[in-house]
Structure formats: structure tokens, C-alpha cells
Amino acid sequence: MPHSPRVYFFGTCLIDLIFPQAGLAAMRLLRREGLEVIYPQGQTCCGQPAYNSGYEAAARDVARRQLDTFPEDYPILVPSASCAGMLKVQYPKLFAGTPDEERARRLAGRVHELTDYLARVLDWRHPDLGPPLKVALHHSCSARREMGVAGAAAELLARLANLEVVEPDHAQECCGFGGTFAVKQPEISAAMAADKAAAILATGARVLVGQDCGCLLNLGGTLAHRHPQAGVGQSWQGADPGARGVAPAARGAANHDGSGRVTRQPAPLAQGPVVKHIAELLWERTHAP
Amino acid sequence: MPPEFAVRVGQALDNERLRRNLRRTMDGLVAKRRQAFPDIHELAVLRRRGKLIRAQALANLPDLLLELEANCERNGIRVHWAETVAEGNAIVLDLLRRQGARRVIKGKSMVSEEMGLNHHLEAQGIQAVETDLGEFILQLAGERPSHIIAPAIHKDRREIAALFAAHFPEYPYTEDIEGLTAIARRIMREHFGQAIAGLSGVNFAIAETGTLCLVENEGNGRLCTTAPDLHIAVCGIEKVIARLDQLPPLLTLLTRSATGQPITTYVNLISGPRRAGERDGPREVHLILLDNGRSRMHRDRQLRATLRCIRCGACMNHCPVYTRLGGHAYGTVYPGPIGSVLEPQLQGLERQGELAEASSLCGACGEVCPVRIPLPGLLRRLRAEGAGEGEDAGVPGRGSRRKAPQRLIWTLWRLTHAHPALYRLATHLATRLRWLVPTGLGPWARTRAAPVIAPRSLHELARAEGFAHE
């Protein structure tokens, strides 16, 4: 019997520590499509934080470790357009003129952003088992510009029959995250995030999804700060109208790590949206528990 | 000494009127540009062509400048070389003094702003009169341009009406745009009739024909360059292009990217002073070619792209940072993304390096640039220069932003992230002690709920669910 096609999964450091349920949902989605998903335990971070701060030597050291960690000729799937852009677009520049240039180029050629791979390579299609739901879609700037894959997320959501998908006003504008930018220029970043949060609230959507957890960390945090009573922020912090087949009373206690542990008391659902990675929404609405 | 960048940012963000004016006008300019390029394939082809024309010109810059000089001189345009702004100002002053001019009427010129020309002339007893409507308004207000194309874009008409009422009490108060423009026009006409010296910038200098191209919408540029006996044009050395047939694609890229216009109301092609038998036009035309650090930028293969800029302003119109701050907060002549790339190179990283950090690297600027300047990549490069890393391009103040706290952070980050075993240990501890990890510190949490570290990392969850690890 032939082996299942193998793919690598690069989980990203942000998902590893803050949004692991997003990574897990993405890997389950891929496994269900018949892929053997390999999660190398040696992976850490793509190196983007240091790279974008000008600390190229530190970025190169960390990036070189990723070159070591994904040696085989399998596709590398990344649930973040920003990290995918670092691996695919920036690695060849970062390693230009170094002994690792060729390795970096080969790795770059194997990198795919998750939603792009799901929509256009795997032609992901599953019946929508969830209730009718209004979802706001936020595209990261990396998805829109550096990777040019923004259309894929919209395509995937359009394949779920019970979703109404809306885009916030000034959808093409950055949410203000920008990695270290949010720390180095907090006032400008906060002003951008506030405008974006207001535009998202104005859509009346119950759930906000995106393909990059950096944006979601920024927007979820901003929404939660402005509307602490609303079920917003990281998705486990609030009631979850996106999950399928869960009684309303039980939704709020949705566990977020797949281990069955309840980590937070349910928050009352007010008008703010629940913020989650698109992979979580796709998985929740298409699998029978 | 102007206040620190952070202070100016705070003031701009707190100014609701400014925020409203900027959002409205930037949205308008973005929409106009979009309508001006209905065919994305045409736009893609044009941008590639524009980039090539500018990149080729820069590749042959020394030769083209000599060709420009020779052909200008043949046309009767006297060419002067200024390595620094001080040299440029001295040449202008000398020309005006020889003419006996006590006043010079000016068309819009960012290079003259770069030179601080008005200030310099006024200190020498010569009045510089701005005749571009936006610049005219700012001169009344005692302000500098906040945008390279629309310098008074931060002001709404009520502010302008109040300004006019204070300076020209002889005219009846009006908030009507046509009424305000009519007042400015009457005042300017006096100057146009009397001036013996005019000064302008240059949009493109064409080497093969020795022609200076100047675009504008108000006719003031044509008057400044034709009515007085003396016309002085100030021009950065990067503005040269090789041939006349390269002008149309650049012009259409410039005007459509800037204001959404298919072409400006006036396109001036200046090929010399009044010829024998002609009844009007200046008797002398002088071209001052300013370097001011451009040769240094030109030497670096990557930073050279900065010099491709045709000053359309599209990068600032589309920039989410500029849209919230306006140009004054930058504290520089050139604001927005191109300013954040240009000014650290002109003034040094010590003084202006922070501008390169005032970007989320969202890429909107690079996406719209008509000559495809990779602005996000250049911002990143200047951050590396500030940290003293990467190839040394001789940018002044290289390494000046490499501070001990950041170095410590990146050293620790490198240690944990370049050693997977250490990384797994650190993340294991962080997840187990997650309520003790201070995620809510720093400016991040002033406007955002603190993130919560998960109880299990994805590394662990993947193992627990049986995903292969190699």
C-alpha cells in the first residue's frame, strides 16, 4: 500500500504558546484530507521578529535551525501568511550570499500558506454542520500583499453554506500589529487597532476570523479591552457561537486544548465577536464530534 | 528644537479635527487613484515600465547628468552643481542678487523645502512668495507642508477661511472654496505682474534634449517660470531621465498615482530662455542640480531604489500610519513611507532612524508605488543599518540605534529559539507557570487585554494526538 502523501506543519511560535488550538485544528483538517502530517519537534520560530527589527544575525541563526528541521522534500504548510512570507519570500534574501542560500531557496519553494493549500491544492469541501452565523473576515497584510493568498480564505468560507461572510470597512488597511511595531510605536499601533476594532464591531458579526494569529492577538486583545463584558479575545475566553451542535449553555466552557480540560469560566456573550483562526472555524463546523 | 517624535505622535493622534481631515482626504485620493487605473494589467505593465526607465537612468546617472548639462547649456540654460544645501542656497542667493531681486515668486518645490530656501533668503532680506495655493496657505499659517503633493491637506476650509480673514481683512469673510481661491488669485496676480525673479522645482529633467518638465494644476508654475526675467529651477540630481519618449509613461504614472488625474492642467516643458524675436519668457534660465547625500544613496545597490521616486505621494495616501498622523508629526520635509526611507539617509539614523521603525511593514506603500520601490524592504534595511547589521552602505549614524536593552532581548531570543531543546524547556515552563508569566506588561497592554499562555503548547498537543515528528 502506498504511503499517504506527507506534509510538514510549521506551527509558528505564536500559535505554539498562545493559540495552540488553531494549530491543532489546522493539522486535523489536513489529516482528514488524507495527508500524513509531520510536526517536527525541533521547530521554533521563523525568525521574523528579529529580522524585522534589523537584527539579521540573530534572525539568521534561528532561521538556520528551521532549515535543519524541515530537511525532506515535503510541502511545508504554515497557518500564518506572515510566517509563510518570511519562509518563502524573505529566507532567500536573508541567506543570500551565505553557504545556506541554496537550502533556503529549496525550503522557500516548498512553503504554502494553509488556506491557500486547502482551497487551491486540496480543494477542501465539506458540508457545513453549524448553525447560521455571521462571520467577519480579516485578511492579514501578508496574506493580501506579500503572499497574495487573501482570496483563499474567502473561498473556503464561501464553501460553508450557513455562513454569512462580511468584510469590515477599510478592509485592506493594516490592523496595526506589525510585530515589534506594536511595542515600539504603541500609540500609532493602538490607533490603528482601535479603528479596525470599531469597523469589525460595526459589521455585527458574531465571529471574527483571520489567517494570521498576530492580527487576531492584536484585534482580540483590543476588542476585549474595550468591551471586557463581551465574549471576545482568545476564543476560549468567551462563548462560542461558531461551534456546531453545542448547546448554548455548554458553549462558553469550550475547552481550547483538545484535552477536555475546562480552562475558563464561561463569559456572557454580549455584542462583541469571538476571535478565532480560520482553521478552528473550518474544523468546528465540519466534523461530527 | 522640535519636540520628540513620540510627543508629536501623541499630539497628532489626539487632534480629532486633523484625524478627520486626513481620513477624508486620504480616502478621496485613494479612491481617485483606484478609478484612474481601472485596468490592473495596464497598471502592472506601466509600473514595470516606469521602474525600468528610472532604474536605467540611475544606472547611467553620471553620464546622463553630463549629457543633461551639455544639452541644457546648448539650449541656453545655465547649469550649476550644488553638493550641499548650503551650496544650493548660496547659488540661488547670488543669482537673485545679481538680478537685483528683493522678492522671488515660487512654484511648488520640495527640493527648495529640503534646502530650507525660504528661511535662508529671508535671513538675507529677500522675500520668497509661495504661489501654489496650498503653499500660499501654509506661508500665511507659518507652517511647513504636511504632504508632498497637497501641502495643506491637513487643513479644512473653515481653518483656511479663518486664516484668510486674519491676513486679508479687506476681503469679505467666506468659507466658499471658489471665493477663497479668488482672493488668493487676486493677491498672487499682483506678484506675478511685478516679480523679476521666479523659482520652481523640476519633475523630470530630460538629458537628450536638455528639457525641464514641470507639472502643475494652477498655472502658477507657468507664470513663475515665464513672467519674470529670471527663472531658477532647483532639482535633485536623481530627477534626470535619458530620453523624451520616456516622459509620457512617467507622466501618466505620476498624475494618476498622485491625484487620479489622467494629466495635469499644465505640463510645462522648459527648453531655454526667451529666444531672439520672442516676445515673452525669461531672459535667463538657471538649473541648480542638488546632490545633498544622493550620491551616497546611489552607491548602495539596494538603497539606490530610494532615488527612483517620482514624488507622487501615493505611498503616503495609502499609508495607515501617515493617514493617522499627517506629515507634521514626522518632523521632516518628506513624510510618509518615502520620507521614512529618505530622511534617515539624508539626516542620519541618529536623528531620524526612529522613522524607519514607525511602520507596521504592511506593504501598502510598496503595492502602490508607481516605480515599484520596495519601500518595506528599504525600511527593514534601514532598521538593520540602525542596528549596525548587514552590508554597510555608509548611512550616517549606522549602529546608533543598537541599544543595550534590545541587544539583551535579541540575545536571549536567539539563545532560546536557535536551540530547540532549550526552546521546549522554556515553553514547557511557560505553559506550566502560565499565570505567573507577565504577558500584560508594557505599552501593549495599555489598550489591549493581555494574552493568556495556553496550558499546553502545540508541540505537546501534536505529540499527544499522535502526529509524527519527523
Side-chain angles (χ1 to χ4, degrees), chain B residues 4-158:
Chain B
E4 292 290 308
F5 180 62
V7 175
R8 296 194 303 267
V9 164
Q11 288 165 350
L13 292 175
D14 288 342
N15 185 340
E16 297 219 350
R17 187 174 199 167
L18 175 71
R19 296 273 301 269
R20 249 195 338 268
N21 291 347
L22 283 167
R23 180 91 260 182
R24 190 183 61 241
T25 46
M26 293 303 115
D27 281 355
L29 287 168
V30 165
K32 282 180 182 165
R33 175 188 173 275
R34 194 169 49 239
Q35 286 155 15
F37 291 111
D39 180 346
I40 56 163
H41 301 294
E42 186 227 7
L43 173 60
V45 171
L46 262 180
R47 288 176 76 223
R48 270 201 295 276
R49 202 162 159 202
K51 174 197 165 173
L52 276 179
I53 292 170
R54 294 294 300 129
Q56 281 168 8
L58 293 172
N60 300 315
L61 188 61
D63 290 345
L64 284 184
L65 285 169
L66 291 176
E67 188 185 343
L68 175 72
E69 181 185 33
N71 288 327
C72 282
E73 294 277 355
R74 197 171 42 96
N75 291 341
I77 299 173
R78 287 293 323 280
V79 177
H80 309 259
W81 301 88
E83 192 168 337
T84 61
V85 295
E87 284 179 33
N89 283 330
I91 295 166
V92 175
L93 185 65
D94 182 53
L95 291 170
L96 292 175
R97 283 202 172 136
R98 277 204 293 120
Q99 191 73 8
R102 304 290 304 276
R103 179 184 291 159
V104 57
I105 53 171
K106 283 183 68 196
K108 190 169 161 21
S109 157
M110 288 310 294
V111 166
S112 79
E113 293 286 338
E114 188 180 327
M115 292 161 64
L117 180 65
N118 293 8
H119 184 75
H120 178 79
L121 292 180
E122 262 145 46
Q124 304 293 328
I126 294 176
Q127 188 195 3
V129 178
E130 296 287 352
T131 66
D132 172 89
L133 183 56
E135 296 280 0
F136 176 81
I137 291 164
L138 292 185
Q139 203 166 29
L140 295 179
E143 293 178 18
R144 297 176 79 174
S146 69
H147 189 285
I148 64 170
I149 295 299
I153 206 156
H154 56 289
K155 291 199 179 301
D156 58 37
R157 69 190 152 93
R158 279 179 195 84

Side-chain angles (χ1 to χ4, degrees), chain B residues 340-413:
Chain B
S340 299
V341 167
L342 192 53
E343 295 284 359
Q345 298 185 66
L346 290 176
Q347 298 190 47
L349 290 154
E350 210 149 353
R351 286 182 65 189
Q352 300 297 352
E354 189 174 8
L355 291 183
E357 290 162 14
S359 163
S360 64
L361 300 180
C362 77
C365 49
E367 186 179 38
V368 297
C369 175
V371 288
R372 296 173 52 135
I373 301 173
L375 289 158
L378 295 178
L379 289 168
R380 201 185 277 116
R381 168 72 189 276
L382 289 169
R383 293 177 185 184
E385 289 279 336
E389 300 221 2
E391 219 171 302
D392 185 354
V395 179
R398 177 179 159 85
S400 63
R401 301 196 62 77
R402 191 178 182 87
K403 302 275 160 51
Q406 271 116 17
R407 247 172 42 218
L408 177 67
I409 287 169
W410 293 119
T411 302
L412 289 174
W413 176 85

Side-chain angles (χ1 to χ4, degrees), chain A residues 233-244:
Chain A
Q234 288 164 277
S235 62
W236 62 87
Q237 289 176 329
D240 188 350
R244 68 157 294 280

Side-chain angles (χ1 to χ4, degrees), chain B residues 434-468:
Chain B
R434 63 202 194 101
W435 301 115
L436 302 177
V437 178
T439 55
L441 291 180
W444 166 272
R446 280 208 294 270
T447 57
R448 301 171 185 89
V452 182
I453 293 176
R456 296 283 178 276
S457 70
L458 183 60
H459 278 69
E460 290 179 79
L461 295 179
R463 264 202 315 271
E465 277 224 3
F467 286 101

Side-chain angles (χ1 to χ4, degrees), chain A residues 16 28 41 61 173 218, chain B residues 324 414 423-424 448 465:
Chain A
D16 195 25
R28 288 169 174 169
Q41 291 284 322
D61 279 357
E173 196 169 88
N218 179 36
Chain B
R324 280 166 184 81
R414 182 205 313 233
Y423 172 84
R424 282 202 297 279
R448 301 171 185 89
E465 277 224 3

